[in-house]
Amino acid sequence: MSHNKAPETPVTRHPAPDPPPLPDRSALSGLGRLLARRRLWVLLVTAVVIGLAIPFGADVESRLSEGGITAPDSESARAEKLLDEEFKSGAPHLVFVVSASDDVDTPAVTERGERMTERLAGEPGVVQAVSYWSLQRAEPLRSADARSALIMVRLGGDEDAVRKAAKRIVPAYVGEREGLTVRVTGSTQVRVEIESQSAQDLTKAELLAAPLTLIILLLVFGSVVAASLPLVVGALAVIGSFVVLRLLDMLVPVSVFSVNITTALGLGLAIDYSLFIVTRYREELGKGRTVAEAIGATLRTAGRTVIFSALTVALSLSAMLVFPMYHLRSFAYSGIAVVVLAAVGSIVVLPALLALLGRRVDALDVRRLFRRKPPATSPDTAGRAGFWHRLASAVMRRPVPFTLAVAGLLITLGIPFLRVEFGDSDDRVLPPDSPSHVAAQMLRDQFDSQEGSPISVVLPDVDPDTKAAEIGDYATRLSRLPSVTRVDAATGSYVDGGLVAPPGPAAQRLTADAGTVLSVISDTEPYSELGMDLVGTVREVPAPAPTLIGGQAAVLVDAKNTLGDKLPWALAIIAASTMVLLFLFTGSLLIPLKAILLNLLSLTATFGAMVWVFQEGHLRWLLGDFTVTGLIDIDTPVLMFCVAFGLSMDYEVFLLSRIKEEYHRTGDNTAAVAWGLQRTGRLVTAAAVLVAVILLAFATSGLTPLKLLGVGLALAVIMDATLVRGILVPGVMRLAGRANWWAPAPLRRLHQKIGLSD
């Protein structure tokens, strides 16, 4: 067959001239003409909807949640539910670090500490407050230098009630109080500070991204009016994303991190889609079409590609729905919604704006201030071989060395990912100088055990009175485990296999009608490998009755197992949807496979950078100060993969649309690739730069997960739009030759019936 022969040297051929405009009766063309006629009604309805949306979505961040890696049906989740509902116990929501200039055992400090504990216990919303002083000077609650002690507070109610109580209580206690310095940390305080930091970061990112985006759009279009249109659609997408998140929060838990990421995704895609629509519209005007005809032709071509692209991105994001963790599911729900919003804004609102402007879309041409240039509406790229054509031709003359060199580079950049270590978010996602981070670091540096993050062993339906001996023996065995410093049970406290304290004031929080709880305190970080190993060891110790093991380390272990179980399904969804959609788009079997493999290759550098920079701490001077924990959030690679794969497919679809268009005109695979890249190269690069700028603006966040996602996704977009689209795609398609467009006869007939041939 011809595609097995040695590749011929590509020849620069001009593409076939465009046929004269013909009457267009496709559905999308009809939609375009309808929008042109009803433009004022469309814009009026849009204005009304936006007017209602702004106040509705304004306070969305204060309503969202911070956690979310817990698998709802896991053992740790069931344990935490029992602890919260039946025992009113578990990890404290707030941990106050009380420091004195003198020993915390002096009478004056003891009196103030006891008084503060009693005041906290009496606050509305507080179900339990215990401290070093109220627990008969519990040694683990005192720092090594004896100048600091802990007060641990458990709050009641759902997550919203807990957050509101913390916001009300904390300001009344922190700071200098009666000669004591009081700091606060704990899961809820970390959540409150993340919420505040996220809001600040979002404003900063938007203020940074908007002017940079406008400058790039001016360089692309040359016209102030044309450059402003994508920003208008982007602003609509941002407002719409807030509304979507607010509506979703009424139905399902939504992660607070989704605000910044979905805003960046919506803004980037809206600007990208608008960029392609406006560019095609100006090109159609340059062919001599009327405004209505140009809008119809634009929607039939670029509009159809936008819809197809949005569908591919949405399907990539939908893969996260197989995971039960609401942190990932909320990204899927909100991400799909903002992708739809970006597409609707680009193919409904934007055409109405273009119809209103007509040929004035090129008004306020700033290039006239610098040099003379033909109007952008002329199809000046239709027959001239530019940089991207020359690049594609050079690659296709020597496809093997180019392809192997770039593939080798990307694989090399991905090698650090082999050293990845997984954990979960804690106070260290915040800037190092944030109050809860400072207080939590004091706990790590000055206190010997992890009092705020014990492993909870729940024994449902066990009466501690009738089974006191068995519980005591079980606690004794647990206390002998490596790294365990103490085990608290209803029968007393156990250290190193011995009972060191009889039941004290804390014993009542370890019993309930539902059974009893043992609290296993260790000196290991809950999110470390040692912490996760300890969970497995505790689960293997024989118990007097069935147990449920909970706590932060157990949540991480269960999340890791759940992600491992569900990951193959997510990958299968992405692969299958890509294969089906690109087959419908191209009628080829090889092109979808090529797209999947090249997209995977383009992500290797992103995953390598994730570990090399954020786990190992390189380039901190460039990206701003952040805390290196030696761990990567366990769900970050999943989120990164789904979003980055969707964005990569976005550019794949735009490039393939032009290559396919040229191939159907000429039947010449080599010329089609070269001219397809020429016609999209500048535009796809501009779109990638715009998205990368927006993502990097969000990467200025003080929150490490957002910084990681911003940098990682920006790197993925740049790699995909340059090395992959500029070198790997021409190289691989040249090597495949006419086999690019091959499909078995049954599938060819199927594509003729249901495929997209416009």
Side-chain angles (χ1 to χ4, degrees):
M1 296 176 66
S2 61
H3 57 270
N4 291 326
K5 296 178 181 178
E8 298 176 1
T9 302
V11 179
T12 300
R13 299 185 181 92
H14 296 300
D18 292 320
L22 296 172
D24 195 341
R25 296 180 175 84
S26 71
L28 283 174
S29 293
L31 173 64
R33 291 190 294 271
L34 176 64
L35 292 171
R37 290 196 304 271
R38 306 294 185 189
R39 55 190 177 277
L40 293 179
W41 280 107
V42 173
L43 296 176
L44 179 61
V45 170
T46 301
V48 171
V49 171
I50 292 300
L52 296 173
I54 290 175
F56 181 75
D59 64 341
V60 65
E61 280 181 286
S62 65
R63 299 172 179 273
L64 305 184
S65 307
E66 187 273 328
I69 72 157
T70 304
D73 296 326
S74 65
E75 179 182 341
S76 57
R78 286 180 280 136
E80 294 298 321
K81 185 177 180 181
L82 273 175
L83 286 169
D84 186 53
E85 295 179 355
E86 302 294 339
F87 295 90
K88 308 298 181 186
S89 182
H93 293 107
L94 299 173
V95 178
F96 291 88
V97 184
V98 182
S99 302
S101 57
D102 206 349
D103 195 302
V104 294
D105 287 319
T106 61
V109 175
T110 298
E111 179 188 356
R112 295 169 194 160
E114 290 175 342
R115 190 163 61 244
M116 185 177 293
T117 306
E118 291 171 1
R119 280 182 57 205
L120 279 165
E123 290 280 0
V126 173
V127 297
Q128 186 182 67
V130 296
S131 68
Y132 167 73
W133 302 281
S134 70
L135 294 178
Q136 302 173 346
R137 290 181 166 81
E139 193 72 20
L141 302 186
R142 188 182 67 178
S143 64
D145 64 1
R147 293 181 182 274
S148 298
L150 304 182
I151 303 176
M152 297 187 292
V153 175
R154 181 84 181 172
L155 303 171
D158 60 18
E159 189 173 2
D160 189 51
V162 166
R163 187 166 64 243
K164 288 179 179 177
K167 288 182 178 180
R168 174 176 47 82
I169 292 170
V170 167
Y173 289 87
V174 297
E176 298 296 328
R177 305 285 172 176
E178 299 182 359
L180 303 175
T181 301
V182 183
R183 300 177 179 87
V184 65
T185 186
S187 59
T188 300
Q189 183 59 25
V190 170
R191 162 71 184 87
V192 168
E193 292 186 25
I194 285 176
E195 176 189 311
S196 174
Q197 184 71 45
S198 177
Q200 296 174 29
D201 291 343
L202 182 61
T203 301
K204 178 174 68 176
E206 289 172 343
L207 291 176
L208 182 62
L212 291 175
T213 300
L214 180 59
I215 291 171
I216 296 169
L217 287 170
L218 281 173
L219 292 174
V220 173
F221 287 126
S223 158
V224 174
V225 172
S228 301
L229 292 175
L231 282 178
V232 171
V233 179
L236 298 180
V238 170
I239 295 168
S241 68
F242 288 167
V243 174
V244 165
L245 291 170
R246 173 75 186 276
L247 291 172
L248 284 172
D249 187 60
M250 296 177 179
L251 303 173
V252 294
V254 179
S255 169
V256 68
F257 291 118
S258 63
V259 175
N260 298 59
I261 295 302
T262 55
T263 299
L265 184 63
L267 183 61
L269 287 177
I271 289 176
D272 259 15
Y273 294 160
S274 301
L275 179 65
F276 288 110
I277 292 288
V278 173
T279 300
R280 189 69 186 225
Y281 170 72
R282 299 166 89 205
E283 186 178 317
E284 296 297 335
L285 285 180
K287 295 177 182 177
R289 298 184 189 269
T290 66
V291 169
E293 289 172 345
I295 291 173
T298 297
L299 288 194
R300 179 181 60 81
T301 51
R304 181 194 63 127
T305 308
V306 164
I307 294 172
F308 209 83
S309 171
L311 186 57
T312 59
V313 176
L315 285 171
S316 293
L317 295 175
S318 72
M320 288 187 283
L321 293 175
V322 304
F323 300 101
M325 298 85 159
Y326 83 74
H327 184 65
L328 290 174
R329 294 177 74 91
S330 65
F331 276 113
Y333 290 130
S334 56
I336 292 169
V338 298
V339 168
V340 172
L341 278 175
V344 169
S346 300
I347 63 173
V348 175
V349 180
L350 182 56
L353 282 171
L354 291 173
L356 187 66
L357 290 169
R359 296 184 180 277
R360 291 168 296 180
V361 69
D362 289 322
L364 303 179
D365 190 345
V366 295
R367 292 170 302 186
R368 294 177 182 175
L369 301 175
F370 305 101
R371 59 190 174 92
R372 297 176 62 85
K373 188 172 180 178
T377 50
S378 64
D380 58 346
T381 61
R384 292 208 303 268
F387 167 78
W388 292 102
H389 186 285
R390 292 193 297 273
L391 175 63
S393 298
V395 170
M396 288 189 287
R397 278 193 290 270
R398 295 179 179 83
V400 174
F402 273 105
T403 300
L404 291 179
V406 173
L409 173 63
L410 292 175
I411 292 172
T412 301
L413 292 175
I415 288 175
F417 189 69
L418 298 176
R419 303 191 294 270
V420 68
E421 296 287 344
F422 293 114
D424 190 22
S425 299
D426 58 15
D427 60 278
R428 290 170 290 187
V429 305
L430 288 159
D433 59 352
S434 65
S436 62
H437 188 158
V438 171
Q441 194 60 44
M442 288 183 66
L443 295 182
R444 285 186 281 269
D445 295 341
Q446 300 179 21
F447 292 80
D448 294 332
S449 60
Q450 296 289 325
E451 293 291 329
S453 52
I455 295 175
S456 301
V457 182
V458 183
L459 287 83
D461 304 320
V462 172
D463 187 345
D465 295 328
T466 60
K467 288 203 172 186
E470 292 95 325
I471 292 172
D473 290 342
Y474 182 45
T476 299
R477 291 195 298 273
L478 290 174
S479 69
R480 292 195 182 109
L481 296 177
S483 304
V484 173
T485 59
R486 189 178 82 256
V487 176
D488 290 335
T491 53
S493 294
Y494 299 78
V495 174
D496 240 358
L499 178 65
V500 297
Q508 60 182 352
R509 67 191 173 95
L510 300 175
T511 60
D513 293 339
T516 189
V517 177
L518 286 77
S519 184
V520 180
I521 294 95
S522 73
D523 58 6
T524 63
E525 286 276 353
Y527 297 142
S528 65
E529 283 295 329
L530 288 175
M532 290 188 286
D533 290 343
L534 182 58
V535 171
T537 305
V538 168
R539 285 175 168 166
E540 292 172 357
V541 175
T547 62
L548 294 173
I549 309 300
Q552 294 176 0
V555 167
L556 179 59
V557 169
D558 291 346
K560 195 172 183 179
N561 292 335
T562 301
L563 286 171
D565 292 341
K566 301 293 185 182
L567 185 60
W569 290 102
L571 296 177
I573 288 172
I574 291 176
S577 61
T578 300
M579 286 293 296
V580 171
L581 286 174
L582 288 188
F583 169 73
L584 292 175
F585 193 59
T586 64
S588 164
L589 280 188
L590 186 61
I591 285 178
L593 286 173
K594 181 266 304 178
I596 292 172
L597 292 176
L598 294 190
N599 284 352
L600 290 175
L601 196 57
S602 73
L603 294 179
T604 55
T606 296
F607 280 82
M610 183 193 307
V611 171
W612 194 72
V613 175
F614 291 94
Q615 179 178 304
E616 299 176 354
H618 300 284
L619 299 182
R620 290 173 66 191
W621 59 271
L622 179 63
L623 300 176
D625 197 15
F626 58 90
T627 302
V628 177
T629 64
L631 301 169
I632 295 294
D633 281 2
I634 192 168
D635 55 353
T636 297
V638 174
L639 175 61
M640 182 88 75
F641 179 86
C642 292
V643 176
F645 195 93
L647 290 174
S648 297
M649 287 304 304
D650 180 35
Y651 299 125
E652 178 80 13
V653 168
F654 283 112
L655 176 58
L656 283 177
S657 67
R658 283 304 180 106
I659 293 177
K660 177 189 171 188
E661 196 174 323
E662 290 296 330
Y663 183 74
H664 282 183
R665 287 181 183 178
T666 65
D668 185 331
N669 178 74
T670 302
V673 172
W675 285 109
L677 193 62
Q678 172 62 30
R679 286 192 163 188
T680 60
R682 179 173 175 268
L683 205 55
V684 167
T685 303
V689 169
L690 285 166
V691 171
V693 164
I694 292 167
L695 290 169
L696 289 174
F698 281 83
T700 60
S701 172
L703 299 174
T704 305
L706 296 180
K707 190 184 294 289
L708 189 158
L709 286 167
V711 171
L713 291 173
L715 181 61
V717 166
I718 293 298
M719 288 290 180
D720 188 75
T722 54
L723 293 180
V724 174
R725 300 291 159 247
I727 296 177
L728 288 182
V729 168
V732 171
M733 293 192 74
R734 176 58 177 160
L735 289 171
R738 294 181 63 85
N740 283 305
W741 312 99
W742 176 85
L747 289 181
R748 282 202 306 273
R749 289 192 293 270
L750 178 65
H751 182 263
Q752 289 169 2
K753 292 180 180 179
I754 65 172
L756 301 172
S757 58
D758 240 350

